[in-house]
């Protein structure tokens, strides 16, 4: 009975490992690799930091049943990259680029519009005064949007490693349990046969 349970556990872990590898591969790994496929890194320097007159809506949450919309000003950080002399618009990451391709920064949405404006102004000062003309690493993707660059990647090497590592570990543990159970079963049968021969 214990052997049957360990065999069931082993096969369950093998199935879980394969299914999670397949699921993560389709839903997470493939888009991440496609995202990285047309991209690379470059050195960026700030050309201009400006606020547009346009304001955008964001959704804030103030509890389980409390939601509302507020507005924030659009901050644009234009940079020059080492790969092209043309100015490019900087974004925090790919997610932010998809959410609002016109702006470089989306503040955490507060209920008060004034607080959102202050967050954007603080970020504007940071790029003007603290970063200034210092070069920094940025990332681009020629397939998605060639005129935009990102400050950081959403899918970095560690995320891709974990995406692949844990399903494989689960699969291997399952295989190990099945193999050890089969070995234990065959050793028990041999021991029983030797015992019978002696008697």
């Amino acid at each position: 009975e214990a052997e049957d349970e360990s065999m069931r556990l082993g096969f369950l872990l093998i199935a879980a490992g394969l299914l999670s590898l397949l699921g993560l591969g389709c839903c997470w790994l493939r888009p991440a690799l496609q995202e990285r496929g047309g991209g690379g890194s470059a050195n960026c320097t700030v050309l201009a930091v400006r606020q547009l007159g346009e304001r955008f809506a964001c959704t804030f949450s103030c509890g389980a049943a409390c939601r509302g919309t507020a507005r924030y000003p659009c901050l644009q950080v234009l940079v020059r990259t080492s790969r092209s002399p043309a100015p490019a618009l900087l974004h925090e990451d790919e997610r932010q680029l998809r959410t609002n391709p016109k702006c470089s920064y989306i503040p955490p949405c507060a209920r008060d519009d004034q607080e959102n404006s202050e967050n954007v102004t603080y970020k504007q000062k940071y790029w003007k005064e603290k970063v200034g003309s210092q070069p920094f690493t940025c990332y681009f993707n020629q397939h998605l949007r060639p005129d935009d660059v990102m400050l950081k990647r959403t899918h970095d090497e560690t995320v891709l490693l974990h995406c692949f590592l844990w399903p494989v570990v689960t699969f291997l543990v399952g295989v190990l349990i099945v193999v050890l159970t089969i070995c234990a079963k065959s050793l028990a049968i041999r021991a029983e046969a030797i015992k019978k021969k002696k008697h």
Side-chain angles (χ1 to χ4, degrees):
E1 198 178 318
E3 285 169 357
D4 289 343
E5 277 184 25
S6 64
M7 286 289 277
R8 275 197 292 270
L9 176 65
F11 285 125
L12 185 73
L13 286 172
I14 290 168
L18 287 173
L19 286 172
S20 57
L21 191 63
L22 189 70
L24 287 169
C26 291
C27 302
W28 186 260
L29 197 60
R30 194 180 59 175
L33 289 172
Q34 282 174 349
E35 204 170 80
R36 293 168 63 83
S41 62
N43 281 330
C44 285
T45 42
V46 177
L47 289 175
V49 184
R50 64 189 183 198
Q51 276 192 41
L52 299 181
E54 201 174 350
R55 285 180 166 262
F56 290 89
C58 64
T59 306
F60 65 84
S61 177
C62 47
C66 175
R67 282 181 169 275
T69 54
R71 302 188 83 72
Y72 65 92
C74 183
L75 176 69
Q76 286 191 334
V77 180
L78 296 170
V79 296
R80 179 181 284 123
T81 67
S82 54
R83 69 183 181 94
S84 168
L89 185 61
L90 181 72
H91 300 273
E92 290 279 319
D93 54 25
E94 288 94 346
R95 198 175 291 123
Q96 186 268 314
L97 169 61
R98 283 191 215 98
T99 306
N100 189 341
K102 276 191 175 181
C103 305
S104 295
Y105 175 67
I106 299 172
C109 195
R111 179 182 251 176
D112 184 23
D113 289 359
Q114 184 60 35
E115 192 178 330
N116 291 327
S117 295
E118 285 168 9
N119 281 337
V120 171
T121 305
Y122 174 78
K123 205 71 172 176
Q124 184 177 7
K125 280 182 185 172
Y126 168 80
W127 282 107
K128 271 187 177 175
E129 295 167 15
K130 292 212 173 164
V131 178
S133 59
Q134 293 175 34
F136 58 93
T137 305
C138 60
Y139 302 93
F140 61 91
N141 192 315
Q142 290 170 331
H143 299 317
L144 283 177
R145 291 178 72 94
D147 299 328
D148 295 278
V149 292
M150 275 71 66
L151 190 59
K152 57 181 183 251
R153 283 186 173 134
T154 308
H155 306 106
D156 62 3
E157 286 81 2
T158 54
V159 171
L160 297 179
L161 174 72
H162 286 293
C163 220
F164 181 72
L165 178 70
W166 297 115
V168 169
V169 167
T170 307
F171 174 79
L172 290 175
V173 167
V175 169
L176 189 66
I177 288 171
V178 169
V179 168
L180 288 174
T181 306
I182 291 167
C183 287
K185 206 171 188 177
S186 67
L187 284 171
I189 290 165
R190 279 184 190 174
E192 193 72 34
I194 290 165
K195 205 175 182 182
K196 279 179 183 177
K197 277 182 183 177
K198 280 183 180 177
H199 290 298

